[in-house]
Amino acid sequence: MSESILETRGLSKAFGGLIAVDKVDMAVETGKITAIIGPNGAGKTTLFNLITGVYPASSGDIFFQGKPLKKEHAHTRATLGIARTFQNVLLFGNMTVLENIMTGQHPRSRYGFLESAFRLPKAHREEETISLNAMKYLNLVGLGMHAEQNALSLPLGQQKLLAIARALATEPKLVLLDEPGAGLNILEKRELSDLIHRIRDMGISVILVEHDMPLVMGIAEWVIVLDTGKKIAEGTAAQIQKDPKVIAAYLGEDED
Amino acid sequence: MSADQFVQYFISGLTMGSIYAIVGLGFTIIYAVTRIINFAQGEFVMLGGMLSFYLIKSAGIPLAPALILSVLITVVIGAIMYLLAIRTARHASVVSLIIITIGAAVFFRGIAGEIFPWGVDIVRPPYFTGSQSIAFLGAYVHPQAFWIIGTTVVVMILLHLFLTYTMVGKALKACAISPVSASMVGINPRTMALIAFTLAAALGGISGVVMAPLTLMSYSSGFMLGLKGFVAASIGGFKSPVATVIGGFTLGIVESLAVGIDWGPFTSAYKDVIAMTVLLLILLIRSGRLAEEERMS
């Protein structure tokens, strides 16, 4: 395997007696689309929360581009280049679509509190650049014409695209997508696959958690399988589909 | 009550209401960003007023620079309060942090009663532009009342523009809506909390310096002002700035008109009773809904 953008070693998270993530070692290759799959309760979202710093890890280490992440705050990890979306979307309501994206560019804004409070010309110009830049990401996900709409007035499929655009606006090196396909129709899923490919082609590494097997098998270049917090297998989509452990733990029980 | 009297009481209600509204906005901003109810909010108002009297009378600084300096010192005090008392205890529960703000309020009140040369006496800083009342729709309005209403309205507009059109304002809003999402896009919730405390102290300081000449100020004035602002903010559920402003004005006007009604010998004593009654009613109505929201999050 070539150079990895993200690595975990013995990463664990316990909630009281429940071990949600159990000594996971994984390496995510730079510039690839990696999928993390597993039955409900396998610890996939918890793993995302550990990587992005929503929860502290109980033990183990996380390395981003070879540097240890464990001591960094969540917002610092975002500025280092890790962005994510949430299973339950979590957009900023009461804000327009464009404003949601603009918050994603907050770490890049150089002018501080006083400058913007008094709307000094430099801060003002910077805001215009940010808003132009935000439009670029909106157009990338095809939401350009909805810029001035309230974010929560969009249908779910478009809200999910907006969440992805907001993540991309932080100009990440790695983006984590938590069930981007859930609740989308077949057409929207096809567009999502295209979008994920385009993100990869922009040089951004992608990790996605997803239940939709055709979607995962169609786009993932590497698949990691979790079950009850442990990594039970990893490999290419073709290898995973043949792995008896995976079939027993996951595909065999899947009713979709 | 005659029509002239009505206008008189209404304008005095608007004046006090604008103060309650701006104190309430201080509560709302801090609560929205940090979920802390800052019981020292009223003390910021007291400090603004007391500092202005000290700087003008004892230090002999001219009016305008003294007012600006008073607000700036209050802002610094607000920031120090956050950094020393709140940030260092950030792993504590929100309830503990709220109790810390009560402690800070007691501390500010105690210090204010000690360090100023006039001790616990009530002081009146000079009027900004004299005391020649202006006839207005059959009522006589003190020029300082125009200063109070004008300043608070301008401050509200500036605050609105700041929250809506600047990146920092958007980041504050984002943090208020979802702290987790906000940190995922690189917004530091602690920086936002510091900004919230700074803004709230500025709002308190500004209202303190404009109101003190008309309403007078003493070391203990902060408590009741804080409580009135708390009522205004609770009308807005500590979430909506617009509802807080409406709440503040409503409280001020209702309070003032009620004083104008002839209640017999107790008239002016009923003023605070009204605020308390409104507060009790709101808490009764809202407590169920607030508990529900807590469960949801």
Side-chain angles (χ1 to χ4, degrees):
Chain A
M1 194 183 267
S2 70
E3 175 208 0
S4 57
I5 187 150
L6 185 88
E7 225 183 302
T8 70
R9 286 187 210 144
L11 190 64
S12 299
K13 177 69 186 176
F15 295 102
L18 175 81
I19 297 164
V21 172
D22 194 0
K23 299 193 200 77
V24 170
D25 295 309
M26 64 172 198
V28 175
E29 221 176 316
T30 308
K32 289 274 165 71
I33 300 171
T34 306
I36 299 177
I37 62 169
N40 283 327
K44 306 177 297 285
T45 297
T46 308
L47 188 61
F48 269 19
N49 284 337
L50 293 177
I51 296 169
T52 51
V54 175
Y55 309 137
S58 304
S59 61
D61 289 300
I62 309 171
F63 299 90
F64 180 64
Q65 297 188 308
K67 288 186 270 312
L69 266 193
K70 229 179 145 183
K71 291 205 176 69
E72 307 292 351
H73 291 296
H75 69 269
T76 320
R77 296 185 196 193
T79 49
L80 286 174
I82 304 177
R84 77 173 289 183
T85 65
F86 292 87
Q87 212 170 332
N88 49 355
V89 196
L90 292 181
L91 292 173
F92 302 124
N94 290 332
M95 281 199 199
T96 66
V97 167
L98 187 67
E99 285 177 322
N100 263 271
I101 311 275
M102 287 172 76
T103 61
Q105 302 219 305
H106 178 262
R108 317 266 164 240
S109 93
R110 291 196 308 114
Y111 292 97
F113 181 51
L114 287 176
E115 284 97 334
S116 56
F118 294 109
R119 301 189 54 75
L120 295 184
K122 270 183 189 164
H124 189 68
R125 219 172 305 138
E126 186 189 43
E127 258 181 73
E128 276 175 4
T129 325
I130 284 174
S131 133
L132 277 178
N133 221 356
M135 274 311 290
K136 187 179 83 190
Y137 291 103
L138 269 188
N139 288 328
L140 180 76
V141 301
L143 288 177
M145 71 277 259
H146 299 292
E148 294 306 322
Q149 236 167 292
N150 183 305
L152 297 185
S153 71
L154 296 177
L156 180 70
Q158 294 185 339
Q159 288 193 17
K160 297 199 117 171
L161 293 175
L162 174 55
I164 294 175
R166 183 177 69 185
L168 295 177
T170 65
E171 293 168 25
K173 299 181 182 109
L174 169 67
V175 62
L176 312 181
L177 306 176
D178 198 349
E179 296 202 23
L184 301 191
N185 62 37
I186 294 181
L187 203 70
E188 289 172 326
K189 276 181 185 163
R190 204 172 298 154
E191 285 168 9
L192 178 68
S193 297
D194 288 348
L195 175 61
I196 294 174
H197 278 129
R198 259 180 290 150
I199 295 171
R200 196 262 327 264
D201 295 342
M202 287 161 71
I204 300 169
S205 314
V206 179
I207 308 180
L208 73 153
V209 159
E210 185 52 63
H211 278 299
D212 185 303
M213 282 309 124
L215 179 68
V216 168
M217 297 308 168
I219 59 172
E221 293 157 293
W222 195 253
V223 181
I224 295 170
V225 189
L226 294 184
D227 187 25
T228 60
K230 293 190 181 68
K231 185 176 86 178
I232 59 165
E234 65 179 312
T236 61
Q239 289 165 343
I240 288 299
Q241 279 166 315
K242 282 184 239 135
D243 192 314
K245 269 185 298 185
V246 178
I247 295 165
Y250 187 88
L251 295 176
E253 296 163 7
D254 193 37
E255 285 156 11
D256 291 342
Chain B
M1 198 188 302
S2 71
D4 288 355
Q5 270 179 315
F6 179 82
V7 175
Q8 190 74 56
Y9 284 116
F10 189 83
I11 289 172
S12 117
L14 273 185
T15 312
M16 284 320 289
S18 67
I19 297 290
Y20 301 159
I22 213 163
V23 178
L25 285 174
F27 275 103
T28 303
I29 287 171
I30 290 182
Y31 178 83
V33 176
T34 66
R35 297 295 179 267
I36 295 171
I37 293 174
N38 173 30
F39 281 104
Q41 188 61 34
E43 310 308 323
F44 293 150
V45 185
M46 178 273 291
L47 287 171
M50 298 284 265
L51 285 165
S52 71
F53 183 79
Y54 178 80
L55 293 176
I56 296 164
K57 290 289 177 183
S58 306
I61 298 174
L63 184 78
L67 298 179
I68 293 167
L69 198 55
S70 308
V71 175
L72 288 180
I73 296 172
T74 312
V75 165
V76 171
I77 292 172
I80 292 175
M81 172 188 160
Y82 170 74
L83 293 173
L84 242 52
I86 305 291
R87 183 177 281 200
T88 48
R90 64 180 174 273
H91 298 299
S93 68
V94 168
V95 175
S96 310
L97 296 175
I98 292 173
I99 293 169
I100 290 175
T101 69
I102 298 177
V106 173
F107 175 79
F108 290 142
R109 210 174 304 150
I111 293 286
E114 289 294 333
I115 57 162
F116 294 114
W118 58 88
V120 297
D121 292 346
I122 295 172
V123 295
R124 190 185 64 71
Y127 301 120
F128 294 3
T129 47
S131 59
Q132 187 63 51
S133 286
I134 299 156
F136 182 76
L137 296 174
Y140 286 94
V141 184
H142 195 286
Q144 194 65 29
F146 285 115
W147 276 106
I148 294 173
I149 297 171
T151 308
T152 49
V153 168
V154 167
V155 166
M156 284 170 205
I157 292 169
L158 287 178
L159 184 66
H160 172 77
L161 294 176
F162 171 70
L163 290 177
T164 316
Y165 295 109
T166 69
M167 281 305 284
V168 179
K170 286 189 215 304
L172 276 172
K173 271 168 89 176
C175 202
I177 297 164
S178 170
V180 174
S181 292
S183 61
M184 290 299 111
V185 294
I187 296 167
N188 183 350
R190 286 187 217 158
T191 308
M192 293 305 126
L194 174 62
I195 292 173
F197 269 85
T198 311
L199 269 179
L203 292 174
I206 292 169
S207 47
V209 302
V210 292
M211 72 181 285
L214 196 62
T215 62
L216 314 184
M217 200 60 85
S218 84
Y219 80 105
S220 64
S221 302
F223 175 73
M224 200 43 93
L225 287 166
L227 206 63
K228 301 286 173 66
F230 179 87
V231 173
S234 62
I235 289 172
F238 289 92
K239 293 237 170 85
S240 155
V242 177
T244 301
V245 169
I246 294 171
F249 278 113
T250 311
L251 179 64
I253 291 163
V254 168
E255 220 180 59
S256 174
L257 290 179
V259 172
I261 297 169
D262 191 4
W263 296 84
F266 305 109
T267 305
S268 60
Y270 279 110
K271 199 175 119 203
D272 295 338
V273 173
I274 288 162
M276 298 304 142
T277 313
V278 172
L279 178 59
L280 277 177
L281 287 175
I282 294 163
L283 291 180
L284 277 173
I285 297 162
R286 278 203 179 268
S287 56
R289 201 180 309 161
L290 285 176
E292 190 64 33
E293 280 172 20
E294 282 304 310
R295 258 201 304 283
M296 298 287 276
S297 61

